[in-house]
């Protein structure tokens, strides 16, 4: 009986060690956040990073590094908050670079701005067409309707966002970056869940360490000046 008990204890110890090893495996992933000006995409990103709402910052391009834990697994995110460009053609090297770099996209519109919603529709079409053209693996996309706190000024119905997501195989969330940190956190958690099930999620960041550092420096300097 003692031997069997010892064997059982050893088995449990080995299983615990395997579980601990699994928890220590870190997944690195790249997220591109896109949307037109004044939809709150920078506020959404900074809400995740700081838990605080500091407002919109204009069209400043930034790449942030952020660690989070999802289902017991450490996730190292590189988040590219990119200014909007109306040119979505593959001839635009920046657009192609975003496509090749991204493991997932967050496309943000304001529920008070129908033009921004229409832009998200065009972005989805451009991303899917470009991925097919470049023969790049499908990447997850989350559609986010921001400024839910301004429901009295709404011009885009929640149902329209849900139908767009259903038609394009995307996830959909409505949030208020101004009022709720946890809903913003859920957006990133949902995207990470989808990326973890995608082959592209195993891809390492493609030489962007220098950009991450330089953009982080710009973020720290400009945001501190604005407070």
């Amino acid at each position: 009986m003692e031997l069997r008990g010892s064997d059982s204890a050893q088995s449990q110890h080995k299983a615990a060690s395997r579980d601990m090893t699994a928890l220590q495996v870190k997944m690195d992933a790249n997220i591109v956040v896109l949307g037109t000006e004044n939809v709150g995409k920078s506020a959404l990103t900074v809400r995740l990073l700081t838990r605080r709402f500091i407002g919109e910052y204009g069209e400043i391009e930034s790449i942030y590094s952020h660690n989070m834990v999802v289902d017991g697994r450490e996730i190292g995110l590189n988040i590219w908050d990119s200014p909007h460009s109306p040119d979505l053609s593959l001839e635009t090297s920046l657009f192609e670079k975003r496509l090749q770099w991204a493991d997932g996209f967050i496309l943000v519109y304001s529920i008070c701005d129908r033009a921004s919603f229409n832009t998200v529709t065009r972005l989805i079409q451009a991303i899917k067409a470009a991925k097919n053209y470049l023969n790049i693996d499908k990447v997850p996309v989350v559609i986010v309707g921001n400024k839910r706190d301004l429901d009295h000024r709404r011009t885009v119905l929640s149902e329209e966002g849900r139908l767009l997501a259903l038609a394009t195989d995307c996830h959909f969330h409505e949030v208020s970056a101004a009022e709720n940190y946890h809903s913003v956190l859920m957006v990133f958690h949902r995207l990470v869940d989808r990326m973890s099930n995608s082959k592209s999620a195993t891809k390492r960041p493609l030489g962007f360490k220098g950009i991450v550092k330089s953009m982080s420096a710009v973020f720290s300097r400009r945001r501190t000046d604005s407070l």
Side-chain angles (χ1 to χ4, degrees):
M1 295 293 294
E2 293 181 357
L3 288 176
R4 285 196 294 269
S6 176
D7 290 342
S8 176
Q10 290 180 359
S11 298
Q12 291 176 0
H13 177 72
K14 289 179 180 179
S17 297
R18 287 195 299 268
D19 292 342
M20 184 61 68
T21 299
L23 290 175
Q24 291 172 349
V25 175
K26 181 179 179 180
M27 185 182 88
D28 291 329
N30 301 327
I31 295 175
V32 175
V33 183
L34 295 173
T36 57
E37 190 174 359
N38 297 323
V39 297
K41 58 187 175 62
S42 296
L44 188 85
T45 302
V46 174
R47 183 65 125 148
L48 173 75
L49 300 174
T50 68
R51 296 186 176 226
R52 297 169 57 199
F53 177 71
I54 312 177
E56 189 55 78
Y57 311 98
E59 292 290 274
I60 300 174
E61 186 161 45
S62 303
I63 298 180
Y64 313 100
S65 293
H66 181 69
N67 292 325
M68 62 193 304
V69 177
V70 178
D71 295 331
R73 185 179 188 184
E74 185 179 2
I75 310 294
L77 295 181
N78 297 304
I79 305 171
W80 188 346
D81 178 6
S82 184
H84 176 65
S85 171
D87 188 355
L88 301 177
S89 66
L90 286 177
E91 286 75 17
T92 305
S93 60
L94 182 59
F95 181 59
E96 183 175 347
K97 185 179 291 184
R98 291 170 183 159
L99 289 165
Q100 293 177 329
W101 185 78
D103 296 313
F105 288 90
I106 293 178
L107 307 182
V108 186
Y109 69 90
S110 166
I111 68 167
C112 310
D113 182 356
R114 176 157 294 275
S116 69
F117 178 75
N118 295 337
T119 295
V120 164
T121 302
R122 291 194 297 272
L123 282 168
I124 294 172
Q125 294 169 347
I127 289 169
K128 290 183 178 293
K131 288 289 182 180
N132 292 334
Y133 178 78
L134 295 171
N135 196 27
I136 300 175
D137 289 341
K138 177 182 175 183
V139 296
V141 176
V142 174
I143 301 168
V144 177
N146 190 31
K147 304 191 179 184
R148 191 174 181 179
D149 54 301
L150 301 178
D151 191 72
H152 59 287
R153 292 170 49 189
R154 177 189 292 272
T155 60
V156 182
L157 299 176
S158 299
E159 188 64 20
E160 293 179 87
R162 284 192 288 269
L163 287 174
L164 176 61
L166 183 64
T168 56
D169 191 27
C170 301
H171 275 291
F172 171 70
H173 292 267
E174 267 196 7
V175 305
S176 169
E179 291 188 346
N180 195 316
Y181 162 74
H182 291 288
S183 63
V184 172
L185 181 65
M186 185 59 64
V187 169
F188 285 88
H189 271 223
R190 178 61 62 87
L191 183 56
V192 167
D193 284 341
R194 297 201 75 181
M195 289 191 298
S196 66
N197 294 324
S198 171
K199 292 181 180 179
S200 63
T202 62
K203 181 177 60 177
R204 303 291 294 182
L206 302 179
F208 272 66
K209 290 184 179 179
I211 296 179
V212 171
K213 291 180 181 178
S214 63
M215 290 299 181
S216 296
V218 170
F219 168 76
S220 299
R221 181 173 66 255
R222 295 193 181 185
R223 302 300 188 270
T224 301
D225 292 343
S226 66
L227 295 178

